[in-house]
Amino acid sequence: MTKKLAIFGSGRGSNAEKIITYFTDNVNIEVALVVSNITDAGILSIAADHKIPHVYISKKDLQENTSVVIELLKKHEIDFVILAGFLLLIPEALIAAFENKIINIHPSLLPAYGGKGMYGGHVHEAIIQNKETQSGITIHLVNKEYDKGEILYQAICPVEKNDDAMSLAQKIHVLEHRYFPNVIENYILGL
Ligand code: GRF
């Protein structure tokens, strides 16, 4: 039975693009829905380009009409929710409806540089500011405490003297694009 993914994102959608491409023609897993809280997010255009159903969900809908969002996911027979640069907190009702089936990617080696305010460029700026010598990605399950769910995978990259937040972000994106689809596949097939 093909497992169906919904990808939630708020940005460019480069991770979503990699995931969609990776699972194209895959008999076990398919991307069946893309969701964004930003009406003109790149991730929605990527879904349209790949002819994947996609919806805009406002922050208010997500937080105050969570049951409607859950209904939408059930209507699309979604089995797993993938957070790829989704900047809103996932309501507890949604976490409960998809227990151990929501996977997030974070652009640092959690628990370091996680939690409130630590997203996107802010993470890389803090790491450069603190003269860290390495950074990386964390792929983890989402639970009520958000960035504290079970870690599925981490990959490390060096932070060199001449790195700035931009060059570090590029290194992190390379790791994300290389590992996120495969970690999703391994987790789902391993259940
Ligand atoms: C990624 O860096 C991811 O780690 C973070 O948000 C960014 C999403 O980038 N959660 P994109 O929209 O997939 O290009």
Side-chain angles (χ1 to χ4, degrees), residues 4 6 33 67-81 93-94 96-99 101:
K4 294 177 189 270
L33 182 68
S67 57
V68 173
V69 176
I70 293 168
E71 269 318 299
L72 173 76
L73 294 174
K74 299 289 181 197
K75 189 183 90 177
H76 285 270
E77 299 173 330
I78 299 302
D79 300 291
F80 294 86
V81 173
L94 181 50
F98 286 86
E99 193 168 359
K101 294 194 167 183

Side-chain angles (χ1 to χ4, degrees), residues 52-191:
I52 292 171
H54 46 286
V55 287
Y56 161 76
I57 290 186
S58 68
K59 180 174 181 177
K60 187 173 163 48
D61 282 344
L62 181 67
Q63 292 173 342
E64 295 173 23
N65 303 316
T66 312
S67 57
V68 173
V69 176
I70 293 168
E71 269 318 299
L72 173 76
L73 294 174
K74 299 289 181 197
K75 189 183 90 177
H76 285 270
E77 299 173 330
I78 299 302
D79 300 291
F80 294 86
V81 173
I82 309 299
L83 306 182
F86 191 64
L87 299 181
L88 300 182
L89 220 50
I90 302 297
E92 285 191 19
L94 181 50
I95 293 172
F98 286 86
E99 193 168 359
N100 293 326
K101 294 194 167 183
I102 303 178
I103 303 172
N104 183 47
I105 190 165
H106 184 80
S108 77
L109 296 170
L110 291 176
Y113 299 96
K116 197 141 178 58
M118 278 291 142
Y119 59 89
H122 300 293
V123 176
H124 310 312
E125 279 147 24
I127 284 164
I128 296 292
Q129 195 83 35
N130 296 342
K131 299 190 179 352
E132 300 288 355
T133 55
Q134 65 175 26
S135 186
I137 62 169
T138 302
I139 298 168
H140 65 95
L141 297 180
V142 172
N143 63 18
K144 286 196 288 287
E145 289 164 271
Y146 207 55
D147 280 348
K148 295 197 175 73
E150 177 194 342
I151 290 177
L152 300 179
Y153 187 76
Q154 290 190 304
I156 295 174
C157 67
V159 180
E160 277 129 345
K161 284 209 178 356
N162 60 350
D163 270 318
D164 61 12
M166 284 286 285
S167 60
L168 177 54
Q170 268 146 22
K171 287 182 181 178
I172 293 295
H173 273 312
V174 167
L175 292 179
E176 293 174 336
H177 298 165
R178 183 186 309 158
Y179 293 110
F180 200 7
N182 196 249
V183 169
I184 292 167
E185 183 176 40
N186 290 342
Y187 176 68
I188 292 173
L189 298 186
L191 288 177

